[in-house]
Amino acid sequence: MPCRGAVRSAGHRRRRLLLQRGRVAGLALKGEDLVDGEQVAEQISLDDTREARLVAEAAIDRVRDKFGVRVIGPAAVYRRAS
């Protein structure tokens, strides 16, 4: 994907701005020669935390599909093994 480098660079700049003490009023990212959304292979994001959560959710879904819905869930609902 040709714009991935630009998105990565924008994400890096955003993280650097968050480390500074001053307030950031805005950050703009300009895109040219864009294609229709139906032609894009994957959605791009500047939020690494959200991306990690989406990967984890996909893994949880695969485990549930393979072993059943009650196999995986929040740790608080399971009894302590003793």
Side-chain angles (χ1 to χ4, degrees):
M1 188 176 264
C3 67
R4 185 162 299 279
V7 171
R8 213 175 283 133
S9 177
H12 176 69
R13 286 189 184 110
R14 181 187 59 88
R15 285 187 293 278
R16 284 186 42 207
L17 288 172
L18 292 175
L19 297 175
Q20 296 178 1
R21 289 181 164 245
R23 298 189 94 185
V24 177
L27 176 65
L29 180 63
K30 181 180 178 181
E32 296 178 353
D33 298 325
L34 300 175
V35 297
D36 188 44
E38 295 172 354
Q39 297 174 345
V40 178
E42 72 178 87
Q43 178 71 32
I44 54 177
S45 174
L46 297 176
D47 188 356
D48 296 332
T49 304
R50 180 178 181 275
E51 291 299 315
R53 190 182 75 242
L54 291 174
V55 169
E57 287 175 358
I60 290 170
D61 289 341
R62 287 191 304 273
V63 169
R64 285 183 174 148
D65 289 343
K66 187 172 183 175
F67 299 106
V69 293
R70 300 192 70 198
V71 169
I72 192 167
V77 300
Y78 292 103
R79 290 183 294 152
R80 184 178 207 169
S82 48

